[in-house]
Amino acid sequence: IFGSLDPETYIRHIKEFFMMVPKGNDKTGTAATISVTWSLVNQKPEAGLVLLAPSKEIASRSFDYAAGIIRADPVLEKLFYPPKTHTKLIEHRQTGASIKVVAADKGAATGGKQTVTVVDETHELSNNSQAMGIMTEVRGAIGKSRDAFMLQITTQSKKPPSGLFKAELDKARAVRDGKLPLPILPILYELPADLAKDG
């Protein structure tokens, strides 16, 4: 993720990352860790990261992970203001960069002020009737800034993929297979189609 940003031009050459991992691999913790790491390497004043969770429960868990990372390290505690639990906001003291953890609804993804969006559990977000609209808003926001990016991190759904999740997964597979030239890095942990059984 961080190696795709040209340090001289500040242009990010890979704008989207789609990571699908098996269950039990700490997706929420990974999303929170990447969010905190971004806030440490970010050099843009007042930049914003939105960590978009499919539910309030997962949003609370994501915030607790990120806040816990900061509270566990005395050096990080000096770099950040105390995490605000009631607003799920974390702010860097020097750059003013912020991490805002939100539950998915269209209002949460609009505004276009964030430089980065991390989507936790795309397959769960797909169940939201506003999912396509939310993703349109997110892509609009990352299109406004040359250093912006979006990371989606998810597991495979128990049911056959549908809606937003199917569209995003199909696109990631097409890029992986060389059929679609887009600035997307797909990281897909799944069986090859010829080895998969029962779908």
Side-chain angles (χ1 to χ4, degrees), residues 49-97:
L49 178 147
V50 171
L51 202 167
L52 190 62
S55 67
K56 289 183 179 179
E57 179 186 344
I58 295 175
S60 291
R61 199 177 327 140
S62 297
F63 175 80
D64 289 345
Y65 266 108
I69 290 167
I70 292 163
R71 291 184 185 122
D73 189 315
V75 174
L76 294 182
E77 280 191 308
K78 291 176 183 175
L79 289 175
F80 292 89
Y81 291 107
K84 298 175 182 173
T85 305
H86 61 292
T87 57
K88 294 185 176 46
L89 181 69
I90 296 170
E91 294 176 286
H92 194 284
R93 290 178 190 267
Q94 294 169 348
T95 63

Side-chain angles (χ1 to χ4, degrees), residues 26-150:
D26 198 25
K27 295 170 306 304
T28 301
T30 299
T33 303
I34 288 171
S35 299
V36 172
T37 302
W38 167 82
S39 68
L40 291 169
V41 300
N42 166 66
Q43 297 177 12
K44 188 178 189 178
E46 307 296 326
L49 178 147
V50 171
L51 202 167
L52 190 62
S55 67
K56 289 183 179 179
E57 179 186 344
I58 295 175
S60 291
R61 199 177 327 140
S62 297
F63 175 80
D64 289 345
Y65 266 108
I69 290 167
I70 292 163
R71 291 184 185 122
D73 189 315
V75 174
L76 294 182
E77 280 191 308
K78 291 176 183 175
L79 289 175
F80 292 89
Y81 291 107
K84 298 175 182 173
T85 305
H86 61 292
T87 57
K88 294 185 176 46
L89 181 69
I90 296 170
E91 294 176 286
H92 194 284
R93 290 178 190 267
Q94 294 169 348
T95 63
S98 62
I99 299 169
K100 176 77 174 164
V101 183
V102 297
D105 61 53
K106 195 166 183 190
T110 58
K113 294 182 181 178
Q114 69 264 30
T115 301
V116 176
T117 302
V118 176
V119 181
D120 190 8
E121 296 285 22
T122 305
H123 81 280
E124 293 284 350
L125 176 62
S126 193
N127 297 327
N128 186 319
S129 63
Q130 300 180 68
M132 291 291 193
I134 290 170
M135 196 58 73
T136 298
E137 293 287 342
V138 168
R139 286 204 165 95
I142 67 167
K144 293 177 183 177
S145 179
R146 61 187 178 173
D147 61 323
F149 72 88
M150 173 176 61

Side-chain angles (χ1 to χ4, degrees), residues 8-22:
E8 293 181 6
T9 63
Y10 222 60
I11 293 172
R12 189 174 300 281
H13 294 283
I14 303 175
K15 299 289 281 183
E16 294 190 29
F17 302 84
F18 186 93
M19 185 174 183
M20 186 173 71
V21 298

